[in-house]
Amino acid sequence: MFDYKAAFSRSVEQVRSEGRYRVFADLKRVRGQFPLAVRRREDGTQQDVVIWCSNDYLGMGQHDAVLAAMHEEIDAVGAGAGGTRNISGTTRSAVDLEAELADWHQKEAALLFTSGYVGNEATLSTLQKILPGLIVFSDSLNHASMIAGIRNGGGERHVFRHNDLAHLEALLAAAPAEAPKLIAFESVYSMDGDIADLAGTIALARKYGAMTYLDEVHAVGLYGATGAGVAERDGVLGQIDIIECTLGKAIGVMGGYIAADAVIVDAVRSWASGFIFTTSLPPALTAGALASVRHLKSHPELREKHQERAATLKARFAAAGIPVMESESHIVPVHVGNPIHCKMISDMLLDDYGVYVQPINYPTVPKGTERLRFTPSPNHTDEMMDHLVQAMDALFAHCNVARRPAAA
């Protein structure tokens, strides 16, 4: 008989042999003290750590207004939503949150999903059902959820070189003029921290009769006057057809959503299996997200502090000769270039210095570009940065990782 366990064991061993086996850190966040947490080691002992890789970019998962809203919602309505959106699960806080999100992105409507991944996969695959013959043009560094949705739709697709509008235009020009088209791209690419040319992409979409689908998961809450994202910052919100975002990063809770014209949202709502056949988000989560969005819209100082912290960490790494990669966003990637060294430094940072940052290895990034990805928040202090830079300096020397000349 077939040896199933051996096959699974071989698959895991392959990942181990390539130096990219992932070990989860057992963390207990401390309310009101983000980015501090308590790590439980395998032997049961505990260690105080500073989290440097959280996607809770602004610490909103710990904000008093968010926690109060969630407590109040649980006390008022209980725990679960009670069903799918179609079967008793359309809760009041979900409806109010969708209205708030639509207003945030200057769209007619919004639609909630259980995660950003599901939002991308369900929407991008469903668009190909609604628009027969749709040709999708996808940036080469799009998130795995976007790639899954595009593939699962089963239609014609073309991948253009990352942020290369000349290549995108060549592909658009070669496509049948009468065919429906969709350009799928992100605003902030989370591994390199670069930002797409939104205005240039929109201009090509208009020239060739394509719709635009923009993933703003690493930008929502963080850019623009009210935090609606890079599209708001660049003044092009009204020119993007479909915006997809998450509630699990800067908003600090969980879930995903799209915002678009009402007829687009209604069509996706009516056809997307990933929306129709899943239980709704618990009302405590949607109430917490609603409180978070309302707070973010009126507190630009959080975004200003966030940008300052990211710029400061980049400068401190550069001054110490740490190979921080160029990034025009809040993402602070440090190049290591070897999966074993990358995990080794990550492990030693955690075990010896109480610094938690996850190694980023293949297939998340190409082989040879392995890195540590730091996401400083407004809550990371100068003292935390001093400790981090000193630890990185010592470990890069210990592991003999290539350096850069220290900044003058």
Side-chain angles (χ1 to χ4, degrees):
M1 295 180 65
F2 188 83
D3 192 338
Y4 294 98
K5 286 190 176 181
F8 288 118
S9 296
R10 285 193 300 271
S11 72
V12 173
E13 185 54 39
Q14 179 182 343
V15 176
R16 288 185 184 274
S17 68
E18 295 173 358
R20 57 187 183 91
Y21 181 77
R22 302 182 183 191
V23 178
F24 297 151
D26 181 342
L27 300 175
K28 183 177 182 179
R29 300 177 77 183
V30 182
R31 175 177 173 173
Q33 297 185 41
F34 179 78
L36 302 182
V38 178
R39 172 198 179 202
R40 181 167 58 186
R41 299 186 181 97
E42 291 185 2
D43 63 3
T45 60
Q46 299 193 55
Q47 175 193 22
D48 293 334
V49 301
V50 177
I51 301 174
W52 277 100
C53 55
S54 175
N55 285 335
D56 188 0
Y57 290 128
L58 301 176
M60 290 303 295
Q62 299 288 316
H63 197 279
D64 287 343
V66 176
L67 301 183
M70 296 181 75
H71 279 294
E72 290 171 7
E73 193 75 358
I74 287 178
D75 290 341
V77 304
T84 65
R85 288 293 295 273
N86 186 51
I87 305 176
S88 82
T90 296
T91 62
R92 180 67 53 81
S93 58
V95 174
D96 291 347
L97 176 58
E98 286 175 337
E100 192 76 30
L101 294 170
D103 175 77
W104 203 15
H105 295 285
Q106 300 175 23
K107 300 299 182 188
E108 293 177 349
L111 187 68
L112 292 172
F113 294 89
T114 50
S115 72
Y117 188 104
V118 173
N120 269 331
E121 195 284 326
T123 303
L124 285 166
S125 60
T126 299
L127 289 173
Q128 295 175 72
K129 299 175 185 176
I130 297 169
L131 303 169
L134 179 67
I135 304 173
V136 180
F137 300 84
S138 174
D139 188 285
S140 63
L141 292 189
N142 276 343
H143 190 264
S145 58
M146 299 176 74
I147 295 170
I150 293 166
R151 286 178 175 170
N152 292 343
E156 183 177 346
R157 58 187 183 270
H158 299 279
V159 177
F160 60 92
R161 290 186 293 270
H162 177 54
N163 280 349
D164 188 336
L165 295 188
H167 187 213
L168 172 59
E169 180 164 21
L171 294 173
L172 287 165
E178 69 281 1
K181 306 173 187 68
L182 179 77
I183 302 172
F185 64 116
E186 300 182 37
S187 57
V188 175
Y189 288 85
S190 64
M191 291 300 110
D192 291 335
D194 55 342
I195 297 178
D197 179 353
L198 271 62
T201 306
I202 291 167
L204 287 180
R206 287 184 168 181
K207 181 177 180 180
Y208 292 95
M211 294 180 66
T212 47
Y213 182 101
L214 177 64
D215 179 308
E216 289 252 51
V217 297
H218 290 279
V220 68
L222 305 177
Y223 296 86
T226 70
V230 176
E232 182 185 40
R233 185 199 71 176
D234 292 356
V236 296
L237 260 181
Q239 301 173 56
I240 298 291
D241 294 299
I242 303 172
I243 292 175
E244 188 274 343
C245 296
T246 181
L247 303 173
K249 293 183 170 61
I251 295 170
V253 193
M254 177 186 175
Y257 64 93
I258 61 169
D261 288 347
V263 67
I264 295 175
V265 170
D266 199 23
V268 172
R269 179 186 73 88
S270 301
W271 285 89
S273 295
F275 171 81
I276 297 170
F277 298 106
T278 191
T279 300
S280 305
L281 288 168
L285 292 183
T286 49
L290 179 59
S292 180
V293 171
R294 287 173 173 169
H295 184 84
L296 290 174
K297 289 171 76 172
S298 59
H299 286 82
E301 72 278 2
L302 279 174
R303 290 180 281 282
E304 294 167 4
K305 180 67 172 179
H306 182 235
Q307 290 294 322
E308 180 275 322
R309 292 284 79 189
T312 297
L313 183 59
K314 292 175 188 178
R316 292 194 180 199
F317 276 151
I322 303 297
V324 59
M325 301 165 66
E326 289 187 11
S327 165
E328 57 185 312
S329 71
H330 58 281
I331 306 295
V332 185
V334 171
H335 183 266
V336 178
N338 177 286
I340 296 175
H341 285 167
C342 196
K343 187 177 187 306
M344 182 186 302
I345 292 174
S346 173
D347 289 345
M348 295 176 75
L349 281 169
L350 183 57
D351 292 334
D352 300 339
Y353 295 92
V355 168
Y356 175 50
V357 59
Q358 193 69 13
I360 307 296
N361 293 334
Y362 176 84
T364 306
V365 295
K367 292 180 179 179
T369 70
E370 291 82 4
R371 68 200 64 178
L372 300 171
R373 174 183 172 274
F374 297 88
T375 55
S377 76
N379 302 79
H380 285 87
T381 65
D382 286 342
E383 291 74 22
M384 291 175 182
M385 289 191 183
D386 290 339
H387 179 65
L388 170 63
V389 173
Q390 291 165 7
M392 289 283 284
D393 185 57
L395 291 178
F396 266 61
H398 176 80
C399 298
N400 196 28
V401 176
R403 305 287 287 262
R404 289 180 180 172

